[in-house]
Amino acid sequence: MPKAGQNVHNLALRRRVNAMIAFIAAGVIAVVPFLLVGMFSDFVRGLPTAPGAKPATISMPPLFYVAFIGVAAMSAGQGFYLLKRAKHADQGAKGEEDIAQVLTPLEDQGWELRYGTKLNGLGDVDIICVSPAKKVFVIDVKSHNGEIILTQDGKGLCRRMGQSVYGFEKDFVQQTMKQALQVKKQMNVKFVTPIVAFSRARVAIPSGKVNSVHVVDKANLISLLKSL
């Protein structure tokens, strides 16, 4: 069984490896046109020429070099993007580890904790908790910072940083609800409670729920689980 954050750490490693491949490819692509011109020039100079004739030379238009440099730049850009995504993955893994540390005492109280469980068509779920009473909870861990609040329509989440409010790149509420439904199917249980847990941010949602999905910060996760 995977440890907390293990799947995400593995993802970060794969992204870094792919970034290195992209950087190497960029370097190779950048020197290819010069190597090709040099090889053809050597070949042409080796051809027999008429007495007194100047040795043949090859020159390529600037666009030839620009095309290769452009492709190399795109490959390097992909490498930097993958490194950024790897950093995000490491941050996510740290969030899972922090939440796991908070949950560890529950194991001594008869709770079962599962990390990185694979879901059919939905990747994996961060944490599945099974209480001593056999109630099942799905916890989707988020490592964003700031203050978590509701969107204006009250149907989603956003975060406040100082005086500014930012939306999220995904609908965490719907995502966690889908995970809960899939876990319900795979574990063949009657009900699974979906929870979005923020490892760094503070949650400022009066009801603590959005569309039947509980939203909680790390400090209040244990009390929420026990209350349910």
Side-chain angles (χ1 to χ4, degrees):
M1 183 180 297
K3 297 180 180 179
Q6 180 179 330
N7 290 344
V8 189
H9 276 309
N10 292 341
L11 174 62
L13 177 60
R14 289 196 299 271
R15 287 174 176 172
R16 285 193 170 87
V17 170
N18 288 334
M20 293 302 105
I21 293 173
F23 288 135
I24 292 171
V28 171
I29 294 169
V31 301
V32 161
F34 302 97
L35 291 176
L36 289 176
V37 170
M39 290 171 57
F40 280 112
S41 295
D42 290 341
F43 174 75
V44 170
R45 281 195 294 268
L47 295 176
T49 58
K54 293 182 178 180
T57 59
I58 292 180
S59 62
M60 301 299 294
L63 186 60
F64 172 77
Y65 298 96
V66 170
F68 279 90
I69 297 300
V71 174
M74 291 175 59
S75 183
Q78 179 69 8
F80 285 115
Y81 171 76
L82 288 170
L83 285 181
K84 182 178 179 180
R85 295 291 293 163
K87 183 178 180 180
H88 289 168
D90 280 334
Q91 180 178 311
K94 178 63 166 57
E96 289 185 32
E97 291 167 346
D98 289 345
I99 293 294
Q101 186 175 9
V102 169
L103 294 176
T104 297
L106 291 179
E107 292 183 299
D108 295 331
Q109 301 171 30
W111 290 66
E112 180 185 354
L113 304 176
R114 306 176 188 177
Y115 300 99
T117 301
K118 295 294 183 182
L119 299 180
N120 296 331
L122 293 175
D124 57 58
V125 59
D126 295 332
I127 305 172
I128 295 176
C129 291
V130 183
S131 75
K134 301 306 178 184
K135 291 184 178 179
V136 182
F137 305 87
V138 158
I139 302 177
D140 191 15
V141 178
K142 301 301 174 188
S143 58
H144 304 77
N145 52 19
E147 184 179 51
I148 306 304
I149 59 176
L150 293 175
T151 54
Q152 290 185 347
D153 61 8
K155 296 180 180 180
L157 303 175
C158 56
R159 61 174 174 158
R160 183 161 50 210
M161 303 281 290
Q163 300 299 315
S164 301
V165 175
Y166 304 92
F168 289 111
E169 65 277 8
K170 295 180 180 179
D171 187 337
F172 298 149
V173 172
Q174 288 298 318
Q175 175 179 287
T176 308
M177 191 174 293
K178 289 179 181 179
Q179 290 179 346
L181 291 172
Q182 185 61 39
V183 169
K184 175 179 178 291
K185 180 179 179 181
Q186 290 184 201
M187 293 184 65
N188 193 28
V189 293
K190 291 183 178 180
F191 186 76
V192 174
T193 302
I195 300 173
V196 179
F198 286 87
S199 63
R200 300 169 64 193
R202 187 179 75 86
V203 174
I205 298 175
S207 67
K209 293 176 70 176
V210 184
N211 294 341
S212 300
V213 176
H214 296 270
V215 183
V216 66
D217 47 38
K218 181 175 67 174
N220 295 296
L221 179 57
I222 289 285
S223 60
L224 172 65
L225 287 170
K226 289 184 174 182
S227 71
L228 298 173

